Amino acid sequence: MPHSVVDELLYEARLYAARFGQPHSVVPDKHLAIVTCMDSRIDVFGLFGLAIGDAHIIRNAGGIVTDDVLRSLVLSQRVLRTREVILVHHTDCGLQQIHEAEFREKLRADVGEPPPYEFGAFDDVDAAVKRAIQRVREHKFLPSRDLVHGFVYEVKTGVLREPH
Amino acid sequence: MPHSVVDELLYEARLYAARFGQPHSVVPDKHLAIVTCMDSRIDVFGLFGLAIGDAHIIRNAGGIVTDDVLRSLVLSQRVLRTREVILVHHTDCGLQQIHEAEFREKLRADVGEPPPYEFGAFDDVDAAVKRAIQRVREHKFLPSRDLVHGFVYEVKTGVLREPH
């Protein structure tokens, strides 16, 4: 069995609880949801100067707008009263390293059947974030679609920029 | 149009870029993926003492294990070599505030058709995190399923605990 890191993380979690301050309300103070990639190099709190209680943070492989992201945004807006969406894709993404058909075929060969979902591989990060914005704007179950922003985060420089 | 918070966040992002240090590799140092809720009160870096580059972070409404989470975990393990999974659900979750059938019916009445996904409402957070662990352990497209942990985060106290 590989080495587990869980004990060191649980130690940190005990320190965190020991210095825990006041609890916050469930409704995000900035009425904001941020959607981005799971990538380990994106510290959403640090990047945007967020405090606990400020914003919903939704993350998956790529930060692409899947049905699960739309489900989460609908709950964010309709149950917890957020009104604004920021979508962040990034350079050097794992989804730019794979070829969709080849990756699916490799899994089918390994496991004996194809995976029950598409992976969402993309080449052009700027085009991908524009598609993400469009998909949120078109989702009619979301009551608030006026403030939907999209950016590209450059993991080599720490710069957040508008899509080209 | 409602007030936008994007300008203040972009100001913070410029400060972040100005003090940016060394870039990190795309492979997470701790070979770890963490799955949790989008809830604004969960600071994953702070809770677990993480540094940039340590772990993939996957977040959606509830931290429930949807197909999109499994997609993300498969990419995390197969493309970016993580081996361990930590699942964190939390108390006072928005998904405990809704009744699935009533919420879907409200959306159908508002929009004129039902939403194309289930929301995943749950009552018992301990049972929900145990289901999440089980769903990851059963997903045969994941090569590494020995180190799958699940916890409940208490948003009122900051305590992370094992599920009951």
Side-chain angles (χ1 to χ4, degrees):
Chain A
M1 191 176 285
H3 167 72
S4 169
V5 297
V6 77
D7 287 343
E8 58 182 276
L9 269 69
L10 291 179
Y11 175 79
E12 292 290 337
R14 283 192 294 275
L15 296 181
Y16 184 85
R19 63 175 186 262
F20 188 76
Q22 287 298 306
H24 285 72
S25 144
V26 67
V27 173
D29 290 339
K30 294 195 188 296
H31 299 280
L32 168 70
I34 297 171
V35 180
T36 192
C37 184
M38 67 182 177
D39 192 284
S40 67
R41 296 165 296 180
I42 305 174
D43 171 7
V44 181
F45 275 58
L47 175 61
F48 289 119
L50 296 177
I52 297 212
D54 273 351
H56 284 147
I57 301 176
I58 299 163
R59 304 182 65 166
N60 67 12
I64 59 178
V65 177
T66 58
D67 274 2
D68 196 47
V69 169
L70 294 170
R71 172 188 75 85
S72 299
L73 288 174
V74 167
L75 289 161
S76 176
Q77 293 196 353
R78 288 184 175 261
V79 181
L80 297 167
R81 309 207 301 274
T82 67
R83 297 182 295 255
E84 187 159 9
V85 180
I86 294 180
L87 303 156
V88 180
H89 282 39
H90 69 97
T91 54
D92 191 32
C93 185
L95 280 180
Q96 295 172 299
Q97 294 184 19
I98 64 162
H99 179 279
E100 183 83 32
E102 285 171 12
F103 190 68
R104 288 179 62 80
E105 172 53 26
K106 182 173 180 327
L107 263 71
R108 195 205 55 72
D110 264 19
V111 178
E113 59 187 79
Y117 36 72
E118 296 286 321
F119 287 94
F122 61 80
D123 291 320
D124 181 338
V125 66
D126 293 275
V129 79
K130 288 180 192 167
R131 277 198 305 276
I133 296 169
Q134 198 58 28
R135 192 146 192 238
V136 172
R137 288 199 178 138
E138 287 171 355
H139 195 62
K140 57 191 170 186
F141 297 94
L142 288 169
S144 181
R145 287 175 282 161
D146 291 326
L147 298 174
V148 181
H149 319 271
F151 299 99
V152 173
Y153 177 66
E154 308 258 13
V155 294
K156 297 275 189 283
T157 62
V159 169
L160 188 80
R161 63 166 174 80
E162 301 274 344
H164 297 146
Chain B
M1 190 175 287
H3 167 72
S4 169
V5 297
V6 76
D7 287 342
E8 58 183 275
L9 270 68
L10 291 179
Y11 175 79
E12 292 290 338
R14 283 192 294 274
L15 296 181
Y16 185 84
R19 63 175 186 263
F20 189 75
Q22 288 297 307
H24 285 72
S25 143
V26 67
V27 173
D29 291 339
K30 293 194 189 296
H31 299 280
L32 168 70
I34 297 171
V35 180
T36 191
C37 184
M38 68 181 178
D39 192 284
S40 67
R41 297 165 295 180
I42 305 174
D43 171 8
V44 181
F45 274 60
L47 175 61
F48 288 120
L50 296 178
I52 297 210
D54 273 351
H56 284 147
I57 300 176
I58 300 163
R59 304 182 65 166
N60 67 12
I64 60 178
V65 178
T66 58
D67 273 3
D68 195 47
V69 169
L70 294 170
R71 173 188 75 86
S72 299
L73 288 174
V74 167
L75 289 161
S76 176
Q77 294 196 353
R78 288 184 175 262
V79 180
L80 297 167
R81 309 207 302 272
T82 66
R83 298 182 295 256
E84 186 159 10
V85 181
I86 293 180
L87 303 156
V88 181
H89 281 40
H90 70 98
T91 54
D92 191 32
C93 185
L95 280 181
Q96 294 172 299
Q97 294 185 19
I98 65 162
H99 179 279
E100 183 84 32
E102 284 171 12
F103 190 67
R104 290 180 61 81
E105 172 52 28
K106 184 175 180 323
L107 263 70
R108 195 206 54 72
D110 264 19
V111 177
E113 59 187 77
Y117 36 72
E118 295 286 320
F119 286 94
F122 60 80
D123 291 320
D124 181 338
V125 66
D126 293 275
V129 77
K130 289 179 192 168
R131 276 197 305 275
I133 296 169
Q134 198 58 29
R135 191 147 193 237
V136 172
R137 289 201 177 135
E138 288 171 356
H139 194 61
K140 56 191 171 187
F141 297 94
L142 288 170
S144 180
R145 288 176 282 160
D146 290 327
L147 299 174
V148 181
H149 320 270
F151 300 99
V152 173
Y153 177 67
E154 308 257 13
V155 294
K156 296 276 189 283
T157 61
V159 168
L160 188 81
R161 64 166 174 79
E162 302 273 345
H164 296 146

